[in-house]
Amino acid sequence: MLHIDTIAEVRAACERARRAGRTVGVVPTMGFLHEGHRSLIRQARARTDFVVVTIFVNPLQFGAGEDLDRYPRDLAGDLSQCADEGVDCVFAPSQAEMYPRPPLTTVHVAQLTDGLCGAARPTHFDGVTTVVTKLFAIVGPSVAFFGRKDAQQLAVVTRMVHDLDLPVEVVGCPLVREADGLALSSRNAYLDPEERAAAPVLFRALRAASDAVVAGERDAARVRAIVATEVAEQPRVTLEYVEVRDAHELTQLTQLDGEVLLAVAARFGHTRLIDNVGITVDGNTVRVDLGTGQVLA
Ligand code: AMP
């Protein structure tokens, strides 16, 4: 496995792979890898020939007062997990390599970034789209794998690639959960034992709302209320938002129809967690994508 920290070297490695007739797969991450990241890597391994995992804690996507300085890092552990998964190349650049000067050029996707996480984190998605554009420019024509855990990010990156004709195919991958339903996240490491015990309330709430949709509920306000009521029963949690949106356009829905995103964000002490389920409503037929994992009944 190659471990590269310069743009020139990773660009050359990807070009070499393509010249040899191999497809390039890229999995952008901020490191501190867990089973969610590994599921993306496995998809990349299955679908492409030369798999690049990028590890970069991107300062541009953290707001003032957010957790940039304490974001968990473990490069040695990440490298060994990547080697276990048969990754071909890990690109782990320094901040100076990625941003030798503060960038004067940024990428902004309008509308899709306005609400949901964009409301509480107004600069976040510009940071994401700017770094992802840089990574795509560095890696070149490729297939990129993103988790549905970050459903808004997936919608934003997908739209950006369309709008800018970037030579990248974006693939959304299932959300991976712990056995008790908590969505895996590097930020789960911040939770103290009591917060960790409380955290599965998000999944319970999403599942209760999903059950109501399966039973025939289509009113978005009532679906949101089910989530809010369930979360309110857990005293350690402050709900930031619960939203019912079109899964692709991210427009607010009053009735559930088509491909729907039911998304939630909440604070557990100082830790902000997000979660979601995808609900497809086609007349009386409802399909709920709860993610994967040994979720308890
Ligand atoms: P991060 O390192 O948090 O920036 O995440 C890197 C990639 O892994 C993003 O595409 C995330 O959506 C994805 N990811 C993170 N957690 C999960 C999860 N629990 N299930 C699936 N994908 C995930």
Side-chain angles (χ1 to χ4, degrees):
M1 185 176 78
L2 299 169
H3 171 201
I4 290 175
D5 55 16
T6 69
I7 291 169
E9 282 173 287
V10 72
R11 179 175 274 147
C14 292
E15 276 171 8
R16 257 197 320 276
R18 277 187 298 269
R19 268 204 306 277
R22 305 172 77 194
T23 55
V24 173
V26 58
V27 182
T29 81
M30 298 206 298
F32 208 67
L33 301 182
H34 52 63
E35 201 49 43
H37 300 110
R38 290 179 74 141
S39 72
L40 267 52
I41 295 171
R42 280 182 215 125
Q43 290 243 8
R45 185 69 285 164
R47 290 196 43 171
T48 62
D49 302 319
F50 185 74
V51 174
V52 181
V53 173
T54 73
I55 297 176
F56 181 58
V57 181
N58 172 36
L60 236 53
Q61 70 191 69
F62 289 78
E66 288 188 357
D67 55 342
L68 174 61
D69 294 335
R70 60 190 192 107
Y71 195 83
R73 290 166 168 86
D74 176 17
L75 183 58
D78 291 348
L79 289 170
S80 97
Q81 293 198 60
C82 287
D84 285 349
E85 294 293 347
V87 167
D88 297 293
C89 173
V90 172
F91 175 51
S94 65
Q95 282 196 28
E97 179 71 8
M98 288 296 276
Y99 301 115
R101 293 179 291 178
L104 299 180
T105 308
T106 56
V107 179
H108 175 68
V109 176
Q111 291 179 30
L112 301 191
T113 56
D114 286 346
L116 299 165
C117 290
R121 308 185 73 193
T123 59
H124 170 68
F125 286 109
D126 285 3
V128 170
T129 44
T130 300
V131 80
V132 168
T133 301
K134 281 169 70 73
L135 291 171
F136 289 172
I138 292 164
V139 167
S142 52
V143 186
F145 297 83
F146 286 86
R148 289 203 279 270
K149 154 86 179 355
D150 299 276
Q152 187 176 18
Q153 170 173 279
L154 175 61
V156 166
V157 169
T158 302
R159 181 59 186 256
M160 175 186 83
V161 163
H162 273 241
D163 285 348
L164 299 181
D165 296 308
L166 301 179
V168 176
E169 179 192 346
V170 176
V171 175
C173 303
L175 190 163
V176 180
R177 299 183 179 283
E178 299 279 10
D180 61 7
L182 175 63
L184 291 185
S185 165
S186 305
R187 289 192 167 97
N188 292 349
Y190 297 148
L191 299 171
D192 71 25
E194 288 177 9
E195 290 162 351
R196 174 63 189 82
V201 72
L202 296 185
F203 178 66
R204 275 204 309 279
L206 292 170
R207 204 169 55 171
S210 304
D211 289 345
V213 179
V214 170
E217 184 61 79
R218 298 288 183 270
D219 182 80
R222 283 201 289 267
V223 169
R224 294 169 62 202
I226 294 169
V227 175
T229 304
E230 185 85 27
V231 171
E233 278 169 22
Q234 181 51 258
R236 302 192 149 267
V237 190
T238 313
L239 187 63
E240 182 184 298
Y241 67 71
V242 49
E243 300 254 19
V244 176
R245 302 253 179 165
D246 177 90
H248 304 288
E249 302 298 325
L250 302 184
T251 43
Q252 261 166 350
L253 300 178
T254 51
Q255 291 288 310
L256 278 80
D257 189 26
E259 289 186 39
V260 176
L261 173 68
L262 172 60
V264 63
R267 290 185 189 275
F268 297 72
H270 295 297
T271 305
R272 181 178 179 280
L273 299 182
I274 58 172
D275 200 347
N276 72 83
V277 294
I279 306 178
T280 307
V281 180
D282 181 7
N284 289 330
T285 311
V286 176
R287 203 183 68 81
V288 183
D289 177 5
L290 295 171
T292 65
Q294 282 79 51
V295 177
L296 300 176

